[in-house]
Amino acid sequence: MRPDPASLGLPPADLLHMHRKMWAIRAFEERAIELFTAGELPGFLHSQIGQEATCVGTCAALDPEDWITSTHRGHGDIIAKGGRLDRMMAELYGRETGYCRGKGGSMHLFDFGLGILGANGIVGAGLPIAVGAALSARLRGTAQVSVSFFGDGASNEGAFHEALNLASTWQLPVVFVCQNNEYAESTPRRVQQAIADIATRGAAYGVPGVVVDGMDVLAVREVVSAAVERGRDGGGPTLVEAKTYRFYGHYVGDPGVYRPSEEVEAWKQRDPIRLFEARLAEAGVLGREEADQVEAEVRQEVDDAVEFARASPEPDPASAFEDVYA
Amino acid sequence: MRPDPASLGLPPADLLHMHRKMWAIRAFEERAIELFTAGELPGFLHSQIGQEATCVGTCAALDPEDWITSTHRGHGDIIAKGGRLDRMMAELYGRETGYCRGKGGSMHLFDFGLGILGANGIVGAGLPIAVGAALSARLRGTAQVSVSFFGDGASNEGAFHEALNLASTWQLPVVFVCQNNEYAESTPRRVQQAIADIATRGAAYGVPGVVVDGMDVLAVREVVSAAVERGRDGGGPTLVEAKTYRFYGHYVGDPGVYRPSEEVEAWKQRDPIRLFEARLAEAGVLGREEADQVEAEVRQEVDDAVEFARASPEPDPASAFEDVYA
Amino acid sequence: MSAEPRSLTYREGLNAAMAEELRRDETVLLLGEDIADPFGGSYKTTRGLSDEFGAERVRNTPISEEAIVGAALGCALTGLRPVAEVMYVDFMTLCMDMVVNQAAQIRYMSGGQVRVPMVVRTQGGAGRSSAAQHAKSLEAWFCHVPGLKVVMPSTPRDALGLLKASIRDDNPVIFLEHKLLLLDPYAETVPDGDHVVPLGVADVKRMGTDVTVIATSRMVRLALAVADELAESGVSVEVVDPRTLVPLDEEAILASVRKTNRAVVVHEGFERNGFGAEVAALIGNRAFDDLDAPVERVAGANAPIPFSPVLENAVIPNEARIRAGIEKVLGGL
Amino acid sequence: MSAEPRSLTYREGLNAAMAEELRRDETVLLLGEDIADPFGGSYKTTRGLSDEFGAERVRNTPISEEAIVGAALGCALTGLRPVAEVMYVDFMTLCMDMVVNQAAQIRYMSGGQVRVPMVVRTQGGAGRSSAAQHAKSLEAWFCHVPGLKVVMPSTPRDALGLLKASIRDDNPVIFLEHKLLLLDPYAETVPDGDHVVPLGVADVKRMGTDVTVIATSRMVRLALAVADELAESGVSVEVVDPRTLVPLDEEAILASVRKTNRAVVVHEGFERNGFGAEVAALIGNRAFDDLDAPVERVAGANAPIPFSPVLENAVIPNEARIRAGIEKVLGGL
Ligand SMILES: Cc1ncc(C[n+]2csc(CCOP(=O)(O)OP(=O)(O)O)c2C)c(N)n1
Ligand SMILES: Cc1ncc(C[n+]2csc(CCOP(=O)(O)OP(=O)(O)O)c2C)c(N)n1
Ligand SMILES: [Mg+2]
Ligand SMILES: [Mg+2]
């Protein structure tokens, strides 16, 4: 078969953008793990390595004005939505130039200008907030949609239920994207719920539930695009379950003893970046060398972000007392 | 067709017991409404008139050792589980001889000896408690099951979701009985959820969801019995949706302007006591006169309960400071 | 907006505040359980508003307190000014994450990127045999949480003016009404036009010289009645109503105590770690040399709220207990 | 149970308490997120317990805080003694209904029909850059709620003895650990056999004569360090650790203050309406004539907990601030 760039159904520029974003996430996370392990970053760190296709596939379906809410494991979602690596990295360092002037850290990254309504340290908390944003779009008469990322574990929180029910009752433009990586911290999904697919929960609200291969960025993009379109057309919310995996521990430092190593290895065989690169190569959109070039460029960007962060001042202790009230 | 007492599938004594209980609820509630309206009872009052078949059909499937958790609208559930009219009425009066020594009132009736783990003023709160009781049965190796009564409105609370998920994950012997009367206070169900049947929510947890005619006490009993049996056999929880209706306002005094009067009238045509009496008469178990006799006896019991309550002392103010800690 | 002098009850004041803000500012919306017409709210506070402003801006919700407040927050972060109603303050237990971890902290956590203009209206208080799950007064919890403002009006005028100010405020405001005040037929004239009472300013509801009573919400009414009574025996009681508990007008309280040298704090919430503890600690610290007697607290007992009127009356402050508290700091009259 | 002298860390003390009670009483069970082996809890406090006692009695749960505490309550009402773990005290916001409206009140609402023997273990505190949603200290909320007991151990020995007492108690106990203490390698010898520390008894962690410091949890350690330091300059600091905040050993606190005539309260929770307010109010009221200086509070700032270590250090009490507080009540050293 002759390579056909059109075979992937998207303009090459879009495909390349997605590819670059996936690498940006990978490179950012790898570097962050390194830095954290070396003791340079305070706090906790949860890496999204392995889940890049869910982040990028989803955000590729969004407009800049659209919103996301994210999770404790949110770097990838935020990078995919346009988050700046330098300000993110500076925030991970707790510096004055970080997104949150050092007040938020990894679990509390925000960029309201980019529609990033926040990572969140509370499992499940992003869902109702996304519903509110969608309500706001409705009332203000804009075409915005909101996406709420959350994990398989979060699907057992009351907030999940209330948010899906409210969004469906009001037929709001929300796409609930479950990044199902089969574990919540150490606990496998079967110890947390007795269902095969989280997507089946959609029916409890009259909401379509769609399962998608979370390692396939194009599939994710397609499913989310359809959901976004439905939402914008007044068709209400959708529940998307992206089956994925985190390649590392729950947090950096977690040895992950609760996961069989064969399972981890099997998933790693389906590395979403490699899978996408194979598709891109097949379609003649991007060759190995060009891909390596992207990786190198992105790693440089991350290096620059680290330099930026390191060179940034610590916040003034007095600023700890600012921003409590507007 | 010749009347056949066996045609209803239950021993006549059981049928008569259920009939009497339904009347006990009706008579108790009617009297309580009267007393409340006359200003004799403090607080709020929510009547279960119209829903008697859900209370009695459910509790007829239970053993004395089994548990129930109930709701703000709980008199019927409690009477069905064996609650004593005199102590209930005295509690509604806030008297020392009431179930709770005047501390609980209508929304906080308990009789732990009878497995009544409480009415509840918080919508949805009974569900997780019932799950805990079922866990306790499992751990203590008893055959007890627990039933959690709740309303259609409660099915939108986070607690519903967490409780069903936990019960199904642990395969606990709980029967979740939704008394779906189509309204939560003033709000019709379609303004609260976008699904036809609440029972469909069972699938979100891998739990069987069963719809039953909540005006048919025998149908309720049958469905709940099957669920109880499954639970006792280790088959896990069941979600039962009993379609029913409250014949009066949300609380006593609520004019109920939000419900079309034709709707109310149509439901009243399906009075669960009258329906049951027709079946009993048809089967030759109970004639009109005998039925009237039951009603009269039960009304007398309620009168006695009122007398008991009225004659009972007010609690000692000092007792307000007791029972805070064990 | 009317320029006629209006006489309003507490409930009408709240209703007018919402109506005026809905009219004035199209970004304002209301959401909550059973707030829409014809029901108009379980205490009828929102009556007429969905009829006037439509079901899009005055929205009935499912019984989902966490999603209600979460949705309000999502609105507040994206250009609207939501006013959420949580039917009873006891039900705030179901949305504390959204209030405390989210709404109160997002501005801070984001390094000041965003304003969070939202109000959570709720009502508390005992006196109707509503029992332990419908009668608490949990202001102390909210006062403890940095990032929240906490408002407790005691009069129709303040109800109107403080709610308007709260809706215009760019921070999450917990607005605590009292169920007995909502049912109170007492009406008073409110100023013409746009009556806004700024947050953070106490009101001396009665001037006096012998003792300061700091009272909140319905307790202001009781304190005033006791002050009237004591005036007859020649005792001059100053009644200070903080109106907003956060930000607290500390200077107004301290100024009064420095004048009277004696203080009683009266509130309905549970005494232990209640609002009165904070006020007593404040006075004890900042007016140490001015105090002629220990600060007394007259507050809800450290017991759940019982159902029976006889018992309920035993656990919530009443005029007799307030009077006894005052007499105690005066050294026994 | 071992009769050998044991040296345990704080975490080991807690672990031993649970192991001993699980062994002693078959009605005890543990439930919570990720508490089972091999993970053994996010702070590893329950490590080894599911291996020893099995997955039925040491249960991993879904992420459902409300159902966890609700299920624990259902167990407590029906003959068991559950110990629920809520991973961070910040997540208690998700189960406050179960804790406050249900567990704390059921005994009362039922007129004393039932006992509610359950423990909710959770951990709080800052110092690890855990930021605003993983580092609060919310003891003041629980202290405000009648029906709850509130326990905050500061040492390994107390951790062991207080947790055992809490599990045996017939009331809902909120058991608040501190994350830095959980990670602290400091170990101390604990008494042989069944070491139970009764709830409601304060411990004078250091005797002194010049000033009383009432401190909780990790702040006890800091207060002791400051006391050591000040001893060198001839100042004698008495450090009182209430250990249980409810019931509070008021007499122990008052006795110390009546001796020293000066008091500082130190805690990590937000200052406004924090535990220190209650203690300051108590002392100001009951030791009015004994006080030579205003009671000072050294507490968490009225700001959310920031992420950056530099900022975090600015908002939580440290030795310098404690020392400054002491010097202030001593009139400036
Ligand atoms: C309300 C709440 N409960 C518990 C936690 C602790 N916690 C952090 S991440 C996590 C697991 C989340 O699992 P999942 O939703 O599947 O997301 P994942 O970590 O797998 O991406 C838990 C239990 C939390 N942060 N918030
Ligand atoms: C958590 C909570 N939210 C709101 C309320 C106020 N409330 C009491 S009953 C009720 C409606 C309940 O509807 P449903 O569950 O259908 O029961 P029904 O009254 O119809 O029997 C509401 C909103 C409450 N008691 N608890
Ligand atoms: Mg997961
Ligand atoms: Mg209903």
Side-chain angles (χ1 to χ4, degrees):
Chain A
M1 219 161 59
R2 247 230 319 270
D4 172 11
S7 65
L8 298 179
L10 285 177
D14 290 10
L15 296 166
L16 294 173
H17 178 78
M18 289 163 70
H19 174 256
R20 183 173 291 267
K21 281 286 178 203
M22 288 174 80
W23 263 116
I25 297 170
R26 179 71 53 97
F28 185 91
E29 294 289 52
E30 286 182 353
R31 197 65 202 283
I33 291 175
E34 244 174 71
L35 295 165
F36 185 89
T37 309
E40 269 195 65
L41 306 181
F44 316 118
L45 207 68
H46 306 91
S47 129
Q48 228 165 355
I49 292 176
Q51 305 187 174
E52 293 91 344
T54 66
C55 318
V56 171
T58 298
C59 290
L62 299 181
D63 286 346
E65 301 72 33
D66 294 329
W67 299 289
I68 63 165
T69 64
S70 179
T71 70
H72 58 287
R73 191 182 308 288
H75 304 164
D77 305 338
I78 290 165
I79 292 172
K81 189 65 175 58
R84 286 177 51 178
L85 304 189
D86 53 354
R87 300 203 58 200
M88 287 177 66
M89 191 58 86
E91 189 60 33
L92 265 51
Y93 272 85
R95 297 299 162 94
E96 175 63 32
T97 57
Y99 261 126
C100 312
R101 304 178 62 203
K103 286 177 175 158
S106 163
M107 286 195 289
H108 307 291
L109 295 164
F110 300 81
D111 186 333
F112 290 94
L114 294 173
I116 297 164
L117 304 185
N120 211 310
I122 302 295
V123 168
L127 286 83
I129 297 172
V131 173
L135 172 61
S136 163
R138 154 95 65 83
L139 289 178
R140 293 182 300 105
T142 70
Q144 289 161 290
V145 304
S146 66
V147 161
S148 184
F149 289 106
F150 62 100
D152 47 301
S155 75
N156 302 320
E157 281 281 12
F160 165 91
H161 178 67
E162 296 190 7
L164 267 93
N165 186 61
L166 190 61
S168 78
T169 302
W170 290 350
Q171 289 291 293
L172 296 174
V174 192
V175 187
F176 297 99
V177 177
C178 182
Q179 294 165 317
N180 173 8
N181 60 16
E182 295 293 337
Y183 287 82
E185 296 213 359
S186 71
T187 309
R189 200 156 64 81
R190 67 172 183 285
V191 177
Q192 302 225 25
Q193 53 187 210
I195 51 174
D197 296 321
I198 293 169
T200 60
R201 294 199 162 168
Y205 316 101
V207 165
V210 190
V211 175
V212 65
D213 178 358
M215 297 318 221
D216 179 345
V217 69
L218 293 173
V220 172
R221 191 199 151 281
E222 198 177 318
V223 161
V224 175
S225 286
V228 164
E229 218 167 293
R230 270 190 77 237
R232 288 204 216 280
D233 291 350
T238 304
L239 172 60
V240 174
E241 176 187 3
K243 307 251 189 202
T244 183
Y245 205 74
R246 56 170 161 77
F247 288 174
Y248 292 89
H250 170 64
Y251 48 80
V252 180
D254 167 21
V257 286
Y258 45 84
R259 299 196 306 188
S261 55
E262 314 80 64
E263 178 183 297
V264 179
E265 283 317 308
W267 276 98
K268 282 189 175 166
Q269 293 309 312
R270 303 202 63 238
D271 183 316
I273 298 185
R274 297 296 167 203
L275 289 180
F276 190 36
E277 288 181 346
R279 304 274 306 270
L280 292 172
E282 215 181 332
V285 176
L286 186 82
R288 184 70 256 150
E289 257 171 53
E290 295 152 296
D292 291 345
Q293 176 64 20
V294 168
E295 176 182 348
E297 285 169 20
V298 157
R299 291 205 187 273
Q300 183 59 49
E301 261 180 73
V302 172
D303 284 347
D304 294 348
V306 173
E307 279 327 296
F308 171 79
R310 285 182 178 150
S312 294
E314 295 282 356
D316 176 356
S319 72
F321 307 96
E322 299 167 0
D323 302 326
V324 181
Y325 293 95
Chain B
M1 217 162 59
R2 250 233 316 271
D4 172 10
S7 66
L8 298 179
L10 285 177
D14 290 10
L15 296 166
L16 295 174
H17 177 78
M18 290 163 70
H19 174 255
R20 182 174 292 266
K21 281 285 180 204
M22 290 175 79
W23 263 116
I25 298 170
R26 180 69 54 96
F28 184 90
E29 294 289 52
E30 285 182 355
R31 197 67 203 283
I33 292 175
E34 245 175 71
L35 295 164
F36 186 89
T37 309
E40 268 194 65
L41 306 181
F44 316 117
L45 207 68
H46 306 91
S47 129
Q48 228 165 353
I49 293 176
Q51 306 187 175
E52 294 90 345
T54 66
C55 318
V56 171
T58 299
C59 290
L62 300 181
D63 287 344
E65 302 70 35
D66 294 329
W67 299 288
I68 63 166
T69 65
S70 180
T71 71
H72 58 287
R73 192 182 307 288
H75 304 165
D77 306 337
I78 290 164
I79 292 171
K81 190 66 174 58
R84 286 177 51 177
L85 304 189
D86 53 354
R87 300 202 60 197
M88 288 177 67
M89 190 59 85
E91 189 60 34
L92 265 51
Y93 271 85
R95 297 299 161 93
E96 175 63 31
T97 55
Y99 262 127
C100 313
R101 304 179 62 201
K103 285 176 176 159
S106 163
M107 286 195 291
H108 307 292
L109 295 164
F110 299 82
D111 186 333
F112 290 94
L114 294 172
I116 298 165
L117 304 185
N120 211 310
I122 302 295
V123 168
L127 285 84
I129 298 173
V131 173
L135 172 59
S136 162
R138 153 95 65 83
L139 289 178
R140 292 181 301 105
T142 70
Q144 289 161 290
V145 305
S146 67
V147 161
S148 183
F149 289 106
F150 62 100
D152 47 300
S155 74
N156 302 320
E157 282 282 11
F160 165 91
H161 178 67
E162 296 190 7
L164 268 94
N165 185 62
L166 190 60
S168 77
T169 302
W170 290 349
Q171 289 290 292
L172 295 175
V174 192
V175 187
F176 296 99
V177 177
C178 182
Q179 295 164 317
N180 173 8
N181 60 17
E182 295 293 337
Y183 287 83
E185 295 215 358
S186 70
T187 309
R189 202 156 63 82
R190 65 171 184 286
V191 176
Q192 301 225 26
Q193 55 188 208
I195 50 173
D197 296 320
I198 293 170
T200 59
R201 294 198 161 168
Y205 316 101
V207 165
V210 190
V211 175
V212 66
D213 178 358
M215 297 319 218
D216 180 346
V217 68
L218 292 173
V220 173
R221 191 198 150 283
E222 197 176 318
V223 161
V224 175
S225 286
V228 164
E229 219 167 294
R230 270 190 75 238
R232 288 204 217 281
D233 291 350
T238 304
L239 172 58
V240 174
E241 176 186 5
K243 307 251 190 201
T244 183
Y245 204 73
R246 57 170 160 77
F247 288 175
Y248 291 89
H250 170 64
Y251 49 80
V252 179
D254 167 21
V257 286
Y258 45 83
R259 299 196 306 188
S261 53
E262 316 78 65
E263 177 183 297
V264 179
E265 283 317 309
W267 277 98
K268 283 189 175 167
Q269 293 310 310
R270 304 201 62 239
D271 183 316
I273 298 185
R274 295 299 166 203
L275 289 180
F276 189 36
E277 288 181 345
R279 304 274 305 272
L280 292 174
E282 215 182 332
V285 176
L286 186 81
R288 185 69 257 148
E289 256 171 51
E290 295 152 296
D292 290 347
Q293 175 64 19
V294 168
E295 176 182 347
E297 285 169 19
V298 156
R299 290 205 188 273
Q300 182 60 49
E301 263 181 70
V302 172
D303 284 348
D304 293 348
V306 173
E307 279 326 296
F308 171 78
R310 285 183 178 147
S312 294
E314 295 282 356
D316 177 356
S319 72
F321 307 96
E322 300 167 359
D323 302 326
V324 181
Y325 293 94
Chain C
M1 245 161 283
S2 151
E4 308 277 298
R6 299 172 287 174
S7 180
L8 301 177
T9 64
Y10 188 87
R11 174 157 60 193
E12 288 164 353
L14 297 169
N15 187 280
M18 290 184 273
E20 289 173 20
E21 295 306 301
L22 280 159
R23 221 170 274 138
R24 199 183 65 82
D25 180 351
E26 62 176 18
T27 67
V28 173
L29 77 149
L30 315 185
L31 68 171
E33 295 161 16
D34 301 289
I35 65 170
D37 298 307
F39 201 68
S42 72
Y43 277 82
K44 309 302 170 203
T45 315
T46 50
R47 187 137 60 181
L49 299 178
S50 76
D51 280 349
E52 179 173 352
F53 300 99
E56 282 287 299
R57 291 182 69 198
V58 180
R59 309 180 75 86
N60 268 357
T61 65
I63 313 181
S64 304
E65 286 76 11
E66 187 162 11
I68 293 168
V69 177
L73 174 56
C75 287
L77 296 176
T78 57
L80 299 181
R81 290 190 176 272
V83 181
E85 177 175 312
V86 170
M87 210 184 269
Y88 284 76
V89 75
D90 312 69
F91 311 163
M92 295 292 292
T93 51
L94 291 157
C95 52
M96 290 300 276
D97 171 55
M98 284 298 153
V99 170
V100 173
N101 287 323
Q102 313 296 332
Q105 301 194 145
I106 280 189
R107 177 176 179 76
Y108 189 86
M109 293 188 299
S110 70
Q113 282 184 54
V114 75
R115 289 162 190 271
V116 186
M118 63 186 275
V119 179
V120 180
R121 285 181 47 243
T122 185
Q123 57 83 23
R128 290 193 79 199
S129 281
S130 307
Q133 295 177 341
H134 287 75
K136 286 192 273 294
S137 297
L138 295 172
E139 61 276 9
W141 281 3
F142 304 110
C143 291
H144 189 52
V145 178
L148 298 179
K149 295 190 176 181
V150 183
V151 180
M152 284 188 105
S154 69
T155 68
R157 219 174 330 209
D158 288 346
L160 169 64
L162 290 168
L163 183 50
K164 293 184 66 149
S166 298
I167 294 173
R168 295 183 195 183
D169 199 275
D170 280 336
N171 298 285
V173 176
I174 307 298
F175 193 92
L176 299 161
E177 304 160 10
H178 194 290
K179 59 172 68 60
L180 291 194
L181 297 178
L182 287 167
L183 297 174
D184 191 338
Y186 165 76
E188 65 183 10
T189 304
V190 303
D192 289 353
D194 192 26
H195 175 60
V196 178
V197 173
L199 305 188
V201 182
D203 189 34
V204 178
K205 286 280 192 281
R206 179 190 177 110
M207 308 262 280
T209 51
D210 296 333
V211 55
T212 298
V213 173
I214 301 103
T216 58
S217 189
R218 177 173 167 254
M219 292 299 132
V220 175
R221 306 264 181 111
L222 271 56
L224 289 170
V226 171
D228 280 349
E229 222 177 270
L230 285 171
E232 288 170 23
S233 30
V235 178
S236 168
V237 178
E238 178 146 308
V239 178
V240 179
D241 176 359
R243 301 198 289 195
T244 58
L245 278 52
V246 178
L248 183 63
D249 190 345
E250 300 185 353
E251 295 315 317
I253 292 169
L254 293 169
S256 177
V257 174
R258 288 185 181 125
K259 178 176 73 176
T260 63
N261 310 113
R262 292 165 202 274
V264 179
V265 201
V266 187
H267 61 78
E268 203 181 309
F270 305 120
E271 175 165 326
R272 190 169 55 230
N273 249 103
F275 174 66
E278 180 63 32
V279 174
L282 169 77
I283 296 171
N285 187 264
R286 306 260 310 275
F288 185 76
D289 293 324
D290 300 294
L291 277 180
D292 289 344
V295 179
E296 282 300 317
R297 289 185 272 171
V298 178
N302 293 321
I305 319 282
F307 167 74
S308 132
V310 170
L311 299 180
E312 191 180 32
N313 191 45
V315 300
I316 58 175
N318 54 26
E319 294 179 21
R321 284 183 58 208
I322 296 171
R323 187 180 172 127
I326 294 172
E327 287 170 352
K328 188 160 179 204
V329 301
L330 289 169
L333 285 183
Chain D
M1 242 161 281
S2 150
E4 309 277 298
R6 299 173 286 174
S7 180
L8 300 177
T9 65
Y10 188 85
R11 174 158 59 194
E12 288 164 352
L14 297 168
N15 186 280
M18 290 184 274
E20 291 173 19
E21 294 306 300
L22 280 160
R23 221 170 276 136
R24 199 183 63 84
D25 180 351
E26 63 175 17
T27 67
V28 174
L29 77 150
L30 315 184
L31 70 172
E33 294 161 16
D34 300 289
I35 65 170
D37 298 308
F39 202 67
S42 73
Y43 278 82
K44 309 301 171 205
T45 316
T46 50
R47 187 137 59 180
L49 299 180
S50 76
D51 280 349
E52 178 173 352
F53 299 99
E56 282 288 298
R57 292 183 69 196
V58 180
R59 309 180 75 88
N60 268 357
T61 64
I63 313 181
S64 304
E65 286 76 10
E66 187 163 10
I68 292 168
V69 178
L73 174 56
C75 287
L77 296 176
T78 56
L80 299 180
R81 292 192 173 270
V83 181
E85 177 175 311
V86 170
M87 208 184 271
Y88 284 76
V89 75
D90 311 70
F91 311 162
M92 294 293 291
T93 53
L94 291 157
C95 52
M96 289 300 276
D97 170 55
M98 283 299 152
V99 170
V100 174
N101 287 322
Q102 313 296 333
Q105 301 193 145
I106 279 189
R107 176 176 179 74
Y108 188 86
M109 295 188 299
S110 69
Q113 283 184 55
V114 75
R115 291 162 189 271
V116 186
M118 61 187 275
V119 178
V120 181
R121 285 180 48 242
T122 185
Q123 57 83 21
R128 290 192 79 198
S129 281
S130 308
Q133 296 177 341
H134 286 75
K136 286 193 273 294
S137 299
L138 294 172
E139 61 276 9
W141 281 2
F142 304 109
C143 291
H144 189 51
V145 179
L148 298 179
K149 295 190 175 180
V150 184
V151 179
M152 285 189 102
S154 69
T155 67
R157 222 175 326 210
D158 288 346
L160 169 64
L162 290 167
L163 183 50
K164 293 185 66 151
S166 298
I167 295 173
R168 296 182 195 184
D169 200 275
D170 280 336
N171 298 284
V173 176
I174 307 298
F175 193 93
L176 299 160
E177 304 159 11
H178 193 291
K179 59 172 67 60
L180 291 194
L181 297 180
L182 287 167
L183 297 173
D184 192 339
Y186 165 76
E188 65 184 8
T189 303
V190 302
D192 288 354
D194 192 27
H195 175 60
V196 179
V197 173
L199 305 188
V201 182
D203 188 35
V204 178
K205 286 281 192 279
R206 180 191 177 108
M207 309 262 279
T209 51
D210 295 335
V211 55
T212 299
V213 173
I214 301 101
T216 58
S217 189
R218 178 172 165 255
M219 291 300 131
V220 174
R221 307 264 181 113
L222 271 58
L224 289 170
V226 172
D228 280 348
E229 220 178 271
L230 286 171
E232 287 170 25
S233 29
V235 178
S236 168
V237 178
E238 178 146 308
V239 179
V240 179
D241 177 359
R243 303 197 289 193
T244 58
L245 280 51
V246 177
L248 182 64
D249 190 345
E250 301 185 351
E251 295 315 317
I253 293 169
L254 293 169
S256 176
V257 174
R258 288 188 182 123
K259 178 176 74 177
T260 64
N261 310 114
R262 294 165 201 275
V264 179
V265 200
V266 187
H267 61 79
E268 202 180 310
F270 306 122
E271 174 164 327
R272 190 168 57 230
N273 249 102
F275 174 66
E278 179 63 32
V279 174
L282 168 77
I283 296 171
N285 187 264
R286 307 260 310 275
F288 185 76
D289 293 323
D290 300 294
L291 278 180
D292 289 345
V295 179
E296 282 300 317
R297 288 185 273 171
V298 179
N302 293 321
I305 318 282
F307 167 74
S308 131
V310 171
L311 300 179
E312 191 181 32
N313 191 45
V315 300
I316 57 174
N318 54 24
E319 293 180 23
R321 284 182 59 210
I322 295 171
R323 187 180 171 125
I326 294 172
E327 288 169 351
K328 188 159 179 206
V329 303
L330 289 169
L333 286 181

